[in-house]
Every structure is written in structure tokens, then in C-alpha cells.
Amino acid sequence: MSGWREARNVLAVRLDNAGDVVMLGPALRAVKETSGARITLLASPAGTEAARLLPWVDDVITLPAVWQDVGARIPFNPARELALIDELRRRAFDAALIFTSFSQTPHAPAYACYLAAIPLRAGDTKEFGGSVLTTELRSTDADDGIHQAERDLRLVEAVGFAVRDRSLAIHVDDHARAAARAALEALGVSSRYVLAHPGASASARRYPTDRFRDVVGLIAASGMDVVVTGTERERSLVERATPAVTHAHALIGGLALPEYAAVVERASAVVCGNTLPLHLADALRVPVVALYAGTDLETQWRARDTDAVVLRRDTPCHPCYLFDCPIGQPCLDIAPDLIAKEVLDAADRRVACAAAG
């Protein structure tokens, strides 16, 4: 094997949240279309669920990675990583593409790939890491603001894969659509609705729950159904964000991620923070109103391929990259009536576009 485009058994590493795996789609599509290689994704448990939406992924290895751990939640167990190295060696990968955000290092997973005898290893880094990467794409502080999907794409371009399409896309099958339709009908929702998602993995990125409840109430008062979504773990949050009014419905857990994506696909509009439904809506071309906390730069994670409105108050601490806000989230001090109007306008635009063909 002389190089990357001759690799036939490729490991793609993205050990982060589900939304990050959704944004990895364009890069994996480019690898598959250029070389036809078999692609195995090394992913977190949440990322493993998202991989089901990407038709370019042939197999998945699931790992809660200690080098991605936040708050020492992963138990001390070096045997876990040694077993991973053995598994990677057994699968005899030709090459490893290590995808990271601007704040993450590729060197820890690259070293695991080196120990697993993977000959080609590429990553994007600002750090010195010796020769654990055979292709080291050197980034700078100025690169921190590029969109995550573009960061992934420039890595595959750097090693010679051709990019035909830079947009997000996911696959939603008929089974998932049928399950979504059944779940909505069980709620009494069968036509137009807004999907409202109050949750996010970091509390600093969540619009205040009492105000989110007001947004849902205002949209419901217009006669539009609102489906408020969340996982079983977010039950309390979803219940507090769903007012006891006609047209407001809580959809908590019960759906696999492809089925949830089908619920997003059917929505007239989505309102959420910087979290998974934002990226699903982008990939499915559903209008989205993003309540975008000042934790991150919009350029890094914003929707690019759909009708999107970003709402954030400018603050001197932006971007803070904090998980918890110590000053009361002034960046998300946005009036519920303004949000509700933007959501309803976005839903109307989708209807108008559909009518126009």
C-alpha cells in the first residue's frame, strides 16, 4: 500500500457527542466516494447511536474514552484501553483518521493506533506529539473558529480524498419514519408541529427552563402543536418545559435516534440550543431557531444547510467554553415572545417553500 487513497480498511475516530458524529458525515462520505474503503467508526456510546444515521459507516467500535473524560466519570481501568489496542490490531486497519474539535488532542488516540500497528495516522493539532501522527495537519489559533464539519473535511482533503459535497446529510429509513409517525399519533399530533428541545449536555447551553416553557406556551397559543422532546434522563426538564395547555405535548424517550431524527424531519420548525437537534435539522433541511449560548463561537457549530435563525445576546465573556455559567447566562437573556415569533415565522416559511415546489 503506497498511501491513503489505497487504504481499503480505514478507522475513523470521533469519540465525542452524537452531534459531532452527525457533522462527521461529509468527511466520511468523501472517503467512501473517493476510495470505496471499508470505514469503521471508533465512537462514544452516544456517537455509536448517531452512526446509524450515516450510510458511509460499515461498522462501529464503541469506547468511553478516558482521554475524552470530563470530571473523572470513567472508572480507572487500564485494561479497557489495552483491550482496545488488541481489538484494533486484530482488525488490521490500513489507516486511521483521527477527528477532533479545536480543543481536543489527536495524540492520545493516535498513540493507541500506533500501538495497534496502524501504519497511517492523520490528525489536526496545534501541539507537539512526536511521530505518533504520520500526517500532522498543523492548525493555529486562527483556525479555532472554523465549522466542525469543515475541520473534518480539511483533514480528509489533506491526505488526498476528494470532497464532492460539503453539506450535512443523514439517512432516515421507512421503519424510523413509521415509528415516528406512530409516536406522534399517540400524542394526538398528526399534522404541522414545532419540535422544541430544552436540553443540552452542558447546563450553560440551556435556555432557562421557565422561559422555555413560556416559548412553548406562546407557540401553542397560536394553534400550532408543539412537541417538547428529551431523553428519559431529561424527564424532569421536559416536564417543566411543557405547559399544561392544548397543543403542547411532551415526548420523552422511547425512540431510537433514527426514529427521533424522523420526528425532526416531519417538524415544521425546530427550536433548541447548540445541541443534537440543531445538527439533525441542518442535515434534514428543517428550519431551526437556535438559542445559541455564548459558550461557543457560532461559526464552529451553526447550521449551514438549512433556514436558520441564531439568537444570542452579545456579552464580553463570549466565547467562554464553560459547562456551567457562573453569572446567570446573560447571553441567553432573550424574550420568549421574540423566540416564539421567529419559530412561527420559520414554520410559515417552510410551508411557503413547499407550496412553491
Side-chain angles (χ1 to χ4, degrees), residues 260-340:
Y260 180 73
V263 175
V264 174
E265 182 182 47
R266 289 171 62 96
S268 297
V270 170
V271 56
C272 62
N274 175 17
T275 190
L276 175 62
L278 171 68
H279 309 304
L280 294 176
D282 194 19
L284 293 165
R285 310 302 185 263
V286 177
V288 60
V289 175
L291 311 179
Y292 210 103
T295 54
D296 302 284
L297 294 170
E298 286 90 336
T299 54
Q300 294 167 326
W301 314 104
R302 63 180 173 83
R304 302 182 305 161
D305 299 310
T306 194
D307 175 0
V309 175
V310 175
L311 298 177
R312 175 182 65 82
R313 283 198 175 275
D314 196 22
T315 56
C317 50
H318 166 67
C320 68
Y321 299 115
L322 295 178
F323 293 129
D324 301 292
C325 178
I327 57 173
Q329 296 178 285
C331 55
L332 286 176
D333 184 16
I334 305 163
D337 58 342
L338 171 62
I339 298 170

Side-chain angles (χ1 to χ4, degrees), residues 140-304:
T140 67
D141 289 343
D143 296 320
D144 288 355
I146 70 169
H147 196 276
Q148 181 61 49
E150 285 299 319
R151 181 180 173 88
D152 297 339
L153 284 165
R154 74 176 184 175
L155 180 62
V156 300
E157 287 179 314
V159 296
F161 295 108
V163 177
R164 178 188 58 82
D165 186 349
R166 309 185 85 86
S167 62
L168 296 192
I170 59 176
H171 174 68
V172 179
D173 63 26
D174 290 342
H175 174 79
R177 291 188 175 109
R181 184 167 56 252
L184 291 166
E185 288 176 351
L187 294 175
V189 177
S190 58
S191 56
R192 294 182 66 208
Y193 61 90
V194 165
L195 184 144
H197 189 82
S201 58
S203 64
R205 296 207 307 265
R206 298 179 202 137
Y207 184 68
T209 308
D210 58 341
R211 304 187 84 186
F212 202 100
R213 180 185 178 92
D214 292 341
V215 172
V216 173
L218 288 165
I219 297 170
S222 75
M224 174 79 79
D225 279 325
V226 186
V227 179
V228 186
T229 68
T231 64
E232 185 60 43
R233 188 173 55 186
E234 296 171 316
R235 174 174 291 276
S236 175
L237 174 66
V238 173
E239 289 175 344
R240 286 185 286 119
T242 309
V245 298
T246 304
H247 300 300
H249 315 269
L251 179 60
I252 304 171
L255 295 176
L257 185 52
E259 296 163 354
Y260 180 73
V263 175
V264 174
E265 182 182 47
R266 289 171 62 96
S268 297
V270 170
V271 56
C272 62
N274 175 17
T275 190
L276 175 62
L278 171 68
H279 309 304
L280 294 176
D282 194 19
L284 293 165
R285 310 302 185 263
V286 177
V288 60
V289 175
L291 311 179
Y292 210 103
T295 54
D296 302 284
L297 294 170
E298 286 90 336
T299 54
Q300 294 167 326
W301 314 104
R302 63 180 173 83
R304 302 182 305 161

Side-chain angles (χ1 to χ4, degrees), residues 49 95 104 138 167 243 327:
E49 285 297 303
Q104 297 166 344
R138 298 298 296 181
S167 62
I327 57 173

Side-chain angles (χ1 to χ4, degrees), residues 41-189:
L41 178 66
L42 178 60
S44 68
T48 295
E49 285 297 303
R52 298 170 62 187
L53 298 169
L54 303 181
W56 312 283
V57 175
D58 298 293
D59 198 5
V60 182
I61 300 171
T62 305
L63 176 75
V66 68
W67 56 83
Q68 295 286 107
D69 197 12
V70 178
R73 298 171 185 168
I74 297 176
F76 177 77
N77 180 17
R80 176 185 51 239
E81 282 69 44
L82 294 173
L84 169 69
I85 292 167
D86 288 343
E87 176 68 8
L88 297 181
R89 184 184 295 112
R90 183 186 68 79
R91 292 187 182 226
F93 291 107
D94 301 321
L97 290 160
I98 299 162
F99 298 98
T100 55
S101 74
F102 74 95
S103 64
Q104 297 166 344
T105 178
H107 293 122
Y111 189 47
C113 292
Y114 168 83
L115 294 174
I118 302 176
L120 298 176
R121 305 171 303 278
D124 190 334
T125 182
K126 291 184 283 190
E127 310 159 323
F128 173 74
S131 58
V132 296
L133 292 170
T134 58
T135 299
E136 188 176 77
L137 184 59
R138 298 298 296 181
S139 59
T140 67
D141 289 343
D143 296 320
D144 288 355
I146 70 169
H147 196 276
Q148 181 61 49
E150 285 299 319
R151 181 180 173 88
D152 297 339
L153 284 165
R154 74 176 184 175
L155 180 62
V156 300
E157 287 179 314
V159 296
F161 295 108
V163 177
R164 178 188 58 82
D165 186 349
R166 309 185 85 86
S167 62
L168 296 192
I170 59 176
H171 174 68
V172 179
D173 63 26
D174 290 342
H175 174 79
R177 291 188 175 109
R181 184 167 56 252
L184 291 166
E185 288 176 351
L187 294 175
V189 177

